[in-house]
Amino acid sequence: VSQSRYTILGLRYDLSELTSLKLAYNLMRQYIQTVTNTTTPLPISRWKTADIHFGPQVSNAFSLGWFHDFPNHLFELSVEGYYRRTDQVLDYKQGANLLLQQYPETEILTGYNQSYGLELMASKKKGEGPAGSPMLSPEASTGCRPSTMELFSPPTTTDPMR
């Protein structure tokens, strides 16, 4: 189980009753992470905690998005851009000897990671799914957690093209 510390700031500006802009910043610190050696025939992974040699992994994430809810709140459309930089990413040196290593910190490198992108999403929040099958939404009161909720029932058809 990892121990994390984070800060979140989110701003929303309503352009109209159905359209809004959202800006978010997230600062995260992770004090335990896995270090994986993928250059050996048998990959070796170890948990590494922050210490005097390596600080916690620190991520700064930014996002800006445009969100539009259509009348009757049936459909939603969004476009969101994001950027994240993570510092203190740990990796083993190439050819690292980890067996019975008295000072494992001499075999570890630190670096950073950057990720960015654009997410486009169109969603139907309620109603029927394809071919008249019922569609559940996270807002539906089914008693199920969203991670285990079935979003679409499979269509019942004999059409080989489906």
Side-chain angles (χ1 to χ4, degrees):
V1 177
S2 67
Q3 178 185 14
S4 298
R5 301 284 184 250
Y6 54 90
T7 302
I8 299 173
L9 172 67
L11 301 172
R12 176 182 169 158
Y13 179 73
D14 290 333
L15 299 171
S16 71
E17 185 177 316
L18 299 174
T19 306
S20 63
L21 289 176
K22 296 178 185 177
L23 176 69
Y25 169 73
N26 192 352
L27 169 66
M28 296 173 284
R29 288 183 178 86
Q30 183 146 339
Y31 292 86
I32 185 170
Q33 57 182 306
T34 57
V35 186
T36 303
N37 186 352
T38 58
T39 61
T40 62
L42 297 171
I44 298 171
S45 294
R46 289 190 174 173
W47 288 99
K48 176 73 179 97
T49 58
D51 58 18
I52 60 172
H53 301 288
F54 303 104
Q57 192 176 75
V58 179
S59 291
N60 288 286
F62 303 89
S63 65
L64 175 64
W66 173 85
F67 298 82
H68 181 74
D69 201 6
F70 287 90
N72 296 330
H73 305 287
L74 183 60
F75 295 99
E76 183 179 62
L77 180 66
S78 66
V79 178
E80 189 170 11
Y82 64 91
Y83 171 80
R84 182 175 78 186
R85 179 182 168 114
T86 304
D87 293 311
Q88 292 290 338
V89 176
L90 303 181
D91 196 9
Y92 287 119
K93 290 181 180 177
Q94 188 169 0
N97 181 9
L98 305 171
L99 190 61
L100 302 173
Q101 180 59 258
Q102 185 176 1
Y103 303 104
E105 61 273 4
T106 62
E107 301 294 323
I108 296 176
L109 299 172
T110 61
Y112 69 92
N113 177 312
Q114 293 185 78
S115 59
Y116 53 88
L118 184 67
E119 296 177 352
L120 308 171
M121 186 177 77
S123 63
K124 185 175 181 184
K125 295 161 82 174
K126 58 185 173 183
E128 291 190 357
S133 62
M135 183 179 93
L136 299 177
S137 68
E139 293 84 15
S141 58
T142 62
C144 296
R145 293 190 340 228
S147 61
T148 61
M149 189 180 301
E150 182 181 353
L151 295 178
F152 291 101
S153 297
T156 54
T157 182
T158 57
D159 184 1
M161 299 304 288
R162 287 193 103 174

